Amino acid sequence: MIEPVFEDVGFGIERGEFVCIIGHSGCGKTTILSILAGLEQPSEGLVIMDGREVVGPSLERGVVFQGHALMPWLTVRENIAFAVRSRWTTHRRAEVFDHAQKYVELVGLAGAEHKKPAALSGGMKQRVGIARAFAIEPKMLLLDEPFGALDALTRGTIQDELLRIVQATHQTVFMITHDVDEAVVLADRVFVMRPRPGRLFEEITINLARPRDRNSAPFDNFKRRVLTALDRSLDPNAVDTEPKSMSGEAMWW
């Protein structure tokens, strides 16, 4: 019998909520994200978004994976514009490029918009992928460790910009991270997974006001809670905590 990647995973995500999922290798985080994106189908269960079942990819869900997946023959701005044109098919060329340029600047690539991927560093390529996902203004943004290749300064800047966009647009975000600091900075809730097969071990609500002070005692307390949950998730005798919400507006399965 083939062991499932994960099992008995169910949760709700409210519209405009920011959820981070964290866990040790082998707990199925990327598989869950791929199912939410409609790129894979679960062997049992389903995903519902805005009252409709997710059965395949859609521009309503923007995805950023660890790899940048850029088109090498297009420039930075053209890569972003390609996504914008897919979303707004009636926009004139100037409108498309103006919209794309806004996101070029958002991720700190102004001056590099005419370069092709071969001329970019790994971190710059990933920033283009992030900008491309932001630019289509999806109902849900699905992020698979998108900041892992970025330097600390750029990562902090884009985290701040991501939160600004989320607050302005009420966009829903589901993000995979291995960085406990990042999870506590960004998330409304953190899902801690346990591995082999993956299960939702504990749900932690981060009820800290934004912007969050990384050096504050309350921030440290939440970091310790997440770290403790990660350690306990490896204990086969530890009991899973039931999710607090199973009926979010955005999706569940």
Side-chain angles (χ1 to χ4, degrees):
M1 181 178 178
I2 299 174
E3 183 180 46
V5 177
F6 64 85
E7 63 182 10
D8 299 328
V9 173
F11 55 82
I13 303 176
E14 297 295 333
R15 194 183 307 274
E17 188 175 21
F18 199 127
V19 170
C20 279
I21 187 168
I22 192 168
H24 297 282
S25 296
C27 64
K29 301 183 295 296
T30 296
T31 302
I32 290 173
L33 184 142
S34 295
I35 290 171
L36 296 180
L39 299 173
E40 295 187 38
Q41 294 298 314
S43 55
E44 295 182 14
L46 71 163
V47 177
I48 301 293
M49 181 173 179
D50 282 345
R52 293 180 296 174
E53 183 178 354
V54 172
V55 294
S58 166
L59 290 173
E60 291 186 345
R61 296 178 301 281
V63 186
V64 180
F65 288 106
Q66 295 174 35
H68 48 80
L70 303 181
M71 289 172 278
W73 60 90
L74 298 181
T75 65
V76 166
R77 190 168 64 178
E78 287 169 345
N79 264 282
I80 300 168
F82 183 87
V84 174
R85 194 175 293 111
S86 299
R87 180 69 164 175
W88 294 283
T89 57
T90 60
H91 275 19
R92 297 190 303 272
R93 178 182 174 86
E95 291 178 294
V96 169
F97 275 90
D98 286 348
H99 189 90
Q101 185 64 30
K102 171 184 171 183
Y103 288 89
V104 168
E105 294 170 4
L106 175 66
V107 297
L109 289 176
E113 52 266 84
H114 302 299
K115 293 183 177 181
K116 293 184 177 179
L120 304 177
S121 69
M124 292 172 75
K125 292 174 184 176
Q126 190 66 350
R127 278 188 276 172
V128 179
I130 293 167
R132 185 173 54 189
F134 287 169
I136 63 171
E137 299 177 3
K139 289 183 179 179
M140 170 166 273
L141 198 59
L142 300 165
L143 308 175
D144 187 353
E145 295 190 80
F147 309 134
L150 305 182
D151 61 84
L153 182 60
T154 303
R155 179 184 299 187
T157 299
I158 296 182
Q159 286 171 353
D160 291 342
E161 289 295 343
L162 172 60
L163 285 174
R164 183 185 63 77
I165 294 169
V166 168
Q167 291 168 352
T169 63
H170 307 290
Q171 189 167 77
T172 309
V173 182
F174 181 88
M175 176 174 165
I176 296 173
T177 182
H178 280 103
D179 188 326
V180 173
D181 233 65
E182 183 167 79
V184 177
V185 164
L186 295 175
D188 297 307
R189 286 186 292 157
V190 177
F191 293 162
V192 179
M193 297 287 292
R194 74 185 316 162
R196 299 185 186 90
R199 296 175 65 96
L200 181 55
F201 177 69
E202 187 169 341
E203 176 187 320
I204 300 171
T205 300
I206 311 295
N207 53 356
L208 293 175
R210 292 189 173 96
R212 294 173 178 169
D213 182 359
R214 297 174 188 260
N215 298 312
S216 69
F219 190 92
D220 281 342
N221 288 339
F222 277 108
K223 279 181 60 179
R224 282 196 293 272
R225 282 187 61 185
V226 176
L227 287 167
T228 298
L230 284 168
D231 286 342
R232 291 182 60 244
S233 72
L234 296 175
D235 180 357
N237 297 315
V239 178
D240 300 347
T241 302
E242 287 294 322
K244 297 181 180 68
S245 171
M246 288 289 290
S247 58
E249 291 182 15
M251 56 179 60
W252 60 278
W253 88 87

